[in-house]
Amino acid sequence: MAASQNFRDLQWVLQVIKSGNISLHSISFFLSQPSSGCHQETENSMNVNISKDNILCFSQLLTALATAKDSQESLRNLEFHFVEWEVQQLRNLGMLLENNLNIKQLVFRRNRLNAECLWELSEILKRNGVIKEIMFSESAIGAAGAGLVASALKVNDSLEELQIWEDSIGSKGAEELSKMIEVNSTLKLLTIFDSKSITATPLISAVLARNRTMEVHIWSGENGEKSSKVVEFVPENSTLRIYRLDISGACRVACALGWNSTVKSLDLTGVRLKSRWAKEFRFVLEQNHSLKEVTLSKTCLKDKGVVYVAAGLFKNQSLETLYLDGNWFTGIGVEHLLCPLSRFSALQYQANVTLKSVTFGGGRTKIGRDGLAAILQMLTTNQTVMRLGIQDDESLRQEDFVKIFRSLERNATLRHLSLQGCKGVGGELVLQTIMETLQVNPWIEDIDLSRTPLQNSGKTDGIYQKLGQNGRTEPEIDLLKDMPLTVPKSCRVFFCGQEYAGKTTLCNSISQNFSYSKLPYMDQVRTLVKPVEQAVRTAGMKVKTFKDEDTKISIWNLAGQHEFYSLHDLMFPGHGSPAFFLIVSSLFRKPTNRESKTSAEIEEDLQYWLRFIASNSRRAAQQCMLPNVTVVLTHYDKINQPSQEFQAAVNSIQRLRDKFQGFVDFYPTVFTVDARSSASVSKLTHHLRKTSKTILQRVPRVFELCNDLIQILSDWRSENYNKPAMKWKEFDELCQVKVPSLRIRSRHDNKDKVAMRRRAIANCLHHIGEVIYFNELGFLILDCEWFCGEVLGQLIRLDARKQSTTENGFISRKELEKILRGSLQSQIPGMGSKVFENLDASDLVRMMLKLELCYEQDPSDPNSLLLIPSILEEGRGRTQRWQLIAPDCIYAGRHLHCDDSSHMFLTPGFFPRLQVHLHNRIMGLKIHGATYSLEKYLILININGIHVRIELGGQLGHYIDILACSTKNLTETLRLFQQLIIPAIQGLCHGVTLHESIIRPESVRNLIPPRYRKAQFVPVQVLKEALLSVPAEGMYDYQHTWCSVSDSGRPILQAGFDFARDLLSDDDFREVLHRRYHDLYNLAVELQVSPEANPDGLDNPATAMEEQDKVEASFGGIAKGVEAVLQRLKIIEQEIRDLKQEIQGLRYYEHRLLLELHRKVNYLVNYNVQVEERKVPNMFYFVTTENYSRRLVTNIIPGMTALRLHMLCEFRREMHVVEDQVGCEMMQIDNRTVKILAPYMKKFMKLVTFALKIGAHLAAGMGQMIPDLSRAVAHLAEPSLMYGAAGAVAAGAVGAAAVSQVAGSSSRNKGRTLGGESSRDFQQDQRAAQQWIVDFLRDRRCSTGREIAEKFGLWRVRYRDSGQIAWICRNHMNTRSHEIIEVPL
């Protein structure tokens, strides 16, 4: 019943469509049915059956659907089954599609369309803009229909899916569709089921060539075979899978892939390919940048095809995974395949660095001997492949797999190794080798041994267990901390001396005292060729090694030519290095004549090297011992009998020994030898042996591992063609394989810490002279002689005038590399041509840049010229003048000189390094318009209008002058000095202290020669302290006077003066004010001046100053532009305008504190007039004499000797030290004296250090100063703060300390002093001390007025106004006679 209700006639269908009672979404028409009717499948879908007799109803229904408004809104899908279309029916369909804009799908199943109907359908599709999907199933549209559909879709921009099932569109139809694909960009899905697979080729080629993101599925079933898929492309995962294609089709697809960017994974498994396809695929690999994975398994590729694939890998930079298993190639193919993944020289780059996974093998793949060699080479040198698969191999034997696993010991990148089905993976030897490899190599995460004899026998459990252990996180252990230490076994002897001193000849004679049997073969060969070298001057540094039992002695013959001096610093032994020095000097000027040297010349030779050793050893921080020095005088055989000149030379050496005591450890014996005679040098040889053993015992212990590594490195060199250097990566590999304590045990180990330990060992080897290693260079120099003599020697021997590409020190990179390459080609006996495989000239250029031996003129240009300071020419004879000449220019200069120039200097290597270092600093700041140029001893810099000259001067270079001509103000110019130039200089002269002085601006303006500037500078600290020594009102207008300079009566500079404010920067001047405020504030605290008594509110002037807006010192401000700098200068100028006002406040504050100080001093002097009625002076102090200087005693202890007691002049408000006072000597301090004077000394000395820090400005109202006492108390103050009348202040502070205690007790603290003691206790201590002085002077028979005047220069007087007693000096007796009355005893 229900079925009959659902099945209606066609009239009902027409009525429903016209009435719109049913909302239809889908209608399916079935024609050529036995009967007509309608079946409603769902509420929104309907099947309409039409018999042949009612064919007209079909057109009526289409017309009704086209005109019904309700159906136009709801209808979505139309399906037509068994329809034999006529043109009018298609027109009706076209009208329906034009009126209904919601129809998205058209399906034609087993329809028949003639050519006219297909054309009409094509026109409909051209006009339609809403249909998304069309499917033709078994509709026999053929090639013509496919062409018409294609022509329509070239215009249609809405269709997204096209499906043609069970048809035969042929190659012609496929070509037409491919042309459509080239134009149409909206089609998202193309499904073709054709009788021939050839249709797939043009379609997929077009999709790939036009980079269409179109999903493609192409099936075929040829000759009645079961249908199968031919091609599949899924854009969502960018995978192209080709199942079946002939060779021509495969080649066409390969061509389309060349510039494709949509395919990332290509799978051709099972497709039979030939070398013709591989040739096309080579260009795909070279051009394509999107392919990540390619699978060519079981494609029957032979050697020729694999060669093409390998050729493509050389240029490919995107492919990450390649499968080639199941093919038919041999070892030749394997060799070519792995060639782009291997390196055949240390200097060669790996061609392909993107491929991470490679798999090959199979029953028909014959790897063989050639293939095995290629695998081993790849595993040894490759740095990128993480997964390697060798599957189902039957050609490799057990010993071959042992070699493969041995090569993995040095491979740190491979993570996964698959050996599935390999017949040779079996046996105990293979198992043992795998376990040993995993012990050394923790980075392998997985080894697939399925279907191998090893797994089949159940022996792989231990392997997988070890793999798991390598993946665990091991607890960190500081291996170096517990590593045993031992005495080093190698010692270096540095032969220093001028050229022609006989160092090389002496070295050869010493070698003859060592047994030849103990020498290595290389040293024997080198010794045999030395007589040839003796005929000429030795060029460059030489290294010669001897064996003395278990001690290795290396003689480093430092080149005596002056051009090599700049490189000596690099070779100087570092902290704790076992080394000592032989200074060799000839007794004759040249070996060819008998013109003997004077003692002065010999002294000059030796003094240079002593200063060089002292300067560099002081630079090496925390020397564990002084450098050991032995002096050798050669050519002694030419002296017939000792002469007076020879004795003078001996005496001069003795003077040098005394002079450098404390700087070097001088061996007491001076060796005089004939360098040509081995017998003559036998004692010297014995001395070398003995001293070497002594040095090795005294220096710090080294890691025992270092001695082991020396042998390991020697073995490595013999195995690697005697290479002179090794890459850091090779050193890493060597440590991983040969040194268990430096091995990474787990892939989760902290690799940075292990690398740090390895660098520590390399540094240790460098310090003991076994290798040359500098951080961040990337390699170790193993042959020190080759590096010092050949490589560095080539740089020094460069003649800038002969090089066509050099200009004032500049040389092209190519020219420099050519010269250095020549040094690498030097034929050293025993060293083969394999040296080129290890170190290239470009490596040496990079090393020179790292060590700042040269710099690039333009770092952004890879072909930039290089400047080597060591080949610079001197600018002598050129007129020296400033390039900038303007009336408003200011001139400033700073003079930096060595603190102890008699013992140390700026070594010859210092200034070239400074030239490079400063350039790198300035270029790193990227200041627009900055220029930098050089001469031999000169640096010229121009930064934002500031022209700077940096000159090296003095004998052997013990000072540097920095001169500037600037359009900026003085402060901005000096900031450039203080923030850039001076820090760079000080950073390169470690251990050598430089003092800064101010050069007279007039001498800078005129650029007078350095010899005239010697008296034209004043130390910066001296000028600052001079400012502190004057009253406050005189600070701003303080002048420094310069003396005149003349040459043979010809005036060079007239005498003159400059204001201190014009010599110091605003920052320095403000620093002086800060110090004065700070010191005055501290004095106010000590004198207990209450804040209420300060009307200016200067509670804490130092704090108040700190809260002001200071100008921060930042060189970056210069780089930000002139406008920003000018803005900062406005702030500074405003502060300078306020300086006078600030100084006025300082003056008033200072005046008040001085009045308070003097009031309390006078109170102290007269507080107890009853004590002996002031029969002796009150204010006394002690000094001690040491090394012709006097030092103030601030604390006394029993047993002290050689003290002298002195007295101060007590005149009120002008207390001072008495000049030329004799004083009384104290032979020894006993316990009673200490008990009586200790409280007095403690309280009196409390403010001494503070008073010294205040500086000389407090002495303005306290009288004159004795210079000796100033030096006597200098040790109590900071050196930078001591100058002027500080001695008088210190002496005055002896009384001031007690004054503040007494006055403070009575006026403010109600019986308590600053120290917390009662006034009564203090008075008792004071009375005891005064009674002691009375008794002491009586014992010394110095109790009368005449005797006190003789000893202390003091007379007893009474003030006329107050009647108080005081002891004053003769000067006050004369100048203040109207205020006093002499009261003699």
Side-chain angles (χ1 to χ4, degrees), residues 597-606 645 648-649 652 655:
K597 287 182 181 178
T598 64
S599 60
E601 290 175 321
I602 294 176
E603 183 175 356
E604 183 181 355
D605 289 350
L606 299 179
E645 189 64 35
S652 66
R655 288 194 301 271

Side-chain angles (χ1 to χ4, degrees), residues 912-930:
R913 290 201 309 275
L914 176 65
Q915 291 174 315
V916 178
H917 182 68
L918 259 182
H919 171 271
N920 295 339
R921 287 279 300 273
I922 292 174
M923 294 299 107
L925 293 172
K926 298 181 180 178
I927 303 173
H928 179 70

Side-chain angles (χ1 to χ4, degrees), residues 227-519:
S227 62
S228 61
K229 184 172 279 192
V230 180
V231 171
E232 175 185 81
F233 175 55
V234 182
E236 283 75 9
N237 55 18
S238 302
T239 300
L240 175 61
R241 177 75 168 89
I242 299 177
Y243 297 89
R244 187 157 51 91
L245 212 61
D246 60 15
I247 188 63
S248 60
C251 290
R252 183 171 176 179
V253 171
C255 292
L257 279 170
W259 298 104
N260 179 271
S261 62
T262 59
V263 177
K264 294 184 178 178
S265 177
L266 174 63
D267 190 348
L268 287 165
T269 300
V271 179
R272 193 180 183 93
L273 301 175
K274 295 184 178 180
S275 60
R276 181 158 62 96
W277 175 88
K279 185 177 182 180
E280 297 293 340
F281 190 66
R282 167 191 176 176
F283 298 106
V284 174
L285 293 175
E286 291 178 350
Q287 299 169 355
N288 189 286
H289 299 291
S290 62
L291 269 177
K292 301 295 182 184
E293 179 178 344
V294 173
T295 303
L296 301 177
S297 302
K298 302 177 183 178
T299 54
C300 306
L301 282 176
K302 297 182 180 179
D303 287 335
K304 189 175 182 181
V306 174
V307 169
Y308 282 124
V309 173
L313 292 177
F314 275 96
K315 293 185 178 181
N316 183 275
Q317 297 298 324
S318 61
L319 191 65
E320 296 178 356
T321 304
L322 177 61
Y323 292 94
L324 281 169
D325 53 301
N327 286 283
W328 298 354
F329 53 89
T330 65
I332 296 176
V334 174
E335 186 177 4
H336 283 82
L337 174 65
L338 300 182
C339 183
L341 304 175
S342 307
R343 290 184 302 119
F344 300 90
S345 166
L347 303 179
Q348 176 191 354
Y349 291 105
Q350 184 178 309
N352 187 298
V353 295
T354 58
L355 194 61
K356 306 297 182 186
S357 174
V358 180
T359 303
F360 54 89
R364 301 188 65 175
T365 300
K366 307 299 181 184
I367 295 177
R369 181 180 300 174
D370 294 335
L372 175 64
I375 293 171
L376 297 178
Q377 184 70 24
M378 189 273 290
L379 290 177
T380 304
T381 61
N382 182 275
Q383 299 177 359
T384 57
V385 174
M386 302 180 67
R387 187 183 296 269
L388 175 64
I390 304 175
Q391 299 182 356
D392 299 304
D393 177 78
E394 299 179 359
S395 62
L396 296 178
R397 299 167 297 176
Q398 289 186 8
E399 52 268 30
D400 297 332
F401 283 101
V402 168
K403 294 178 181 179
I404 289 174
F405 279 103
R406 291 292 184 201
S407 66
L408 285 175
E409 291 181 352
R410 298 177 181 273
N411 189 301
T413 56
L414 195 71
R415 297 293 183 267
H416 304 274
L417 177 64
S418 175
L419 300 175
Q420 291 185 32
C422 292
K423 302 299 182 183
V425 183
E428 289 297 329
L429 182 59
V430 173
L431 176 62
Q432 180 182 354
T433 304
I434 294 175
M435 296 301 293
E436 292 174 355
T437 299
L438 293 179
Q439 188 70 28
V440 173
N441 188 333
W443 296 283
I444 298 178
E445 299 176 6
D446 178 54
I447 300 178
D448 188 355
L449 299 175
S450 57
R451 297 185 289 109
T452 61
L454 204 61
Q455 188 184 56
N456 295 339
S457 61
K459 297 180 178 180
T460 57
D461 293 342
I463 296 174
Y464 295 125
Q465 183 179 0
K466 181 58 180 174
L467 286 170
Q469 292 175 355
N470 286 351
R472 296 175 187 170
T473 303
E474 297 288 340
E476 291 189 4
I477 301 175
D478 190 353
L479 298 178
L480 290 180
K481 182 178 180 181
D482 300 324
M483 196 174 292
L485 300 176
T486 187
V487 175
K489 294 184 178 180
S490 58
C491 182
R492 285 183 289 177
V493 186
F494 288 90
F495 276 29
C496 310
Q498 309 297 332
E499 55 185 341
Y500 300 116
K503 299 185 296 297
T504 303
T505 307
L506 180 63
C507 182
N508 294 333
S509 297
I510 290 175
S511 68
Q512 296 176 16
N513 284 275
F514 287 86
S515 171
Y516 273 92
S517 60
K518 295 182 180 180
L519 290 176

Side-chain angles (χ1 to χ4, degrees), residues 1175-1342:
K1175 292 183 178 180
V1176 296
N1178 254 352
M1179 311 298 289
F1180 63 91
Y1181 61 93
F1182 296 100
V1183 297
T1184 181
T1185 303
E1186 296 179 4
N1187 296 328
Y1188 306 102
S1189 65
R1190 302 165 67 190
R1191 296 171 62 89
L1192 182 66
V1193 176
T1194 59
N1195 189 25
I1196 59 174
I1197 59 175
M1200 293 181 68
T1201 59
L1203 299 184
R1204 295 195 73 84
L1205 181 139
H1206 291 271
M1207 301 288 187
L1208 297 175
C1209 171
E1210 300 173 353
F1211 193 85
R1212 56 190 176 188
R1213 295 185 301 279
E1214 295 183 12
M1215 179 182 66
H1216 66 94
V1217 176
V1218 180
E1219 188 174 0
D1220 297 330
Q1221 189 179 88
V1222 178
C1224 286
E1225 185 175 3
M1226 291 188 64
M1227 298 305 296
Q1228 188 170 3
I1229 299 292
D1230 56 19
N1231 290 331
R1232 177 178 175 276
T1233 303
V1234 171
K1235 183 177 180 181
I1236 295 174
L1237 295 183
Y1240 173 87
M1241 296 294 292
K1242 177 181 178 182
K1243 294 179 177 67
F1244 277 20
M1245 292 301 111
K1246 181 178 180 181
L1247 296 182
V1248 169
T1249 302
F1250 159 72
L1252 291 171
K1253 287 185 177 180
I1254 289 177
H1257 55 273
L1258 289 182
M1262 304 178 78
Q1264 298 298 317
M1265 168 200 77
I1266 294 178
D1268 283 345
L1269 189 60
S1270 173
R1271 291 192 295 270
V1273 298
H1275 70 286
L1276 294 176
E1278 298 176 8
S1280 62
L1281 301 176
M1282 274 305 302
Y1283 183 70
V1289 178
V1294 176
V1299 172
S1300 69
Q1301 304 288 349
V1302 178
S1305 301
S1306 61
S1307 62
R1308 292 183 179 84
N1309 289 341
K1310 298 180 180 181
R1312 304 298 298 176
T1313 65
L1314 285 174
E1317 301 178 47
S1318 68
S1319 177
R1320 180 178 303 172
D1321 293 340
F1322 175 75
Q1323 291 180 10
Q1324 291 177 355
D1325 294 338
Q1326 184 77 356
R1327 187 177 295 109
Q1330 289 176 339
Q1331 188 60 50
W1332 178 88
I1333 194 65
V1334 171
D1335 297 338
F1336 174 78
L1337 292 178
R1338 185 182 295 117
D1339 293 341
R1340 293 298 185 276
R1341 296 182 180 179
C1342 186

Side-chain angles (χ1 to χ4, degrees), residues 519-552:
L519 290 176
Y521 170 74
M522 282 295 297
D523 286 331
Q524 293 184 34
V525 174
R526 288 173 179 161
T527 303
L528 291 175
V529 301
K530 288 299 182 183
V532 179
E533 297 181 357
Q534 293 179 22
V536 294
R537 184 179 63 168
T538 304
M541 290 174 275
K542 301 293 182 181
V543 181
K544 197 172 189 63
T545 303
F546 309 105
K547 246 336 193 178
D548 180 31
E549 297 176 353
D550 61 341
T551 302
K552 178 181 176 183

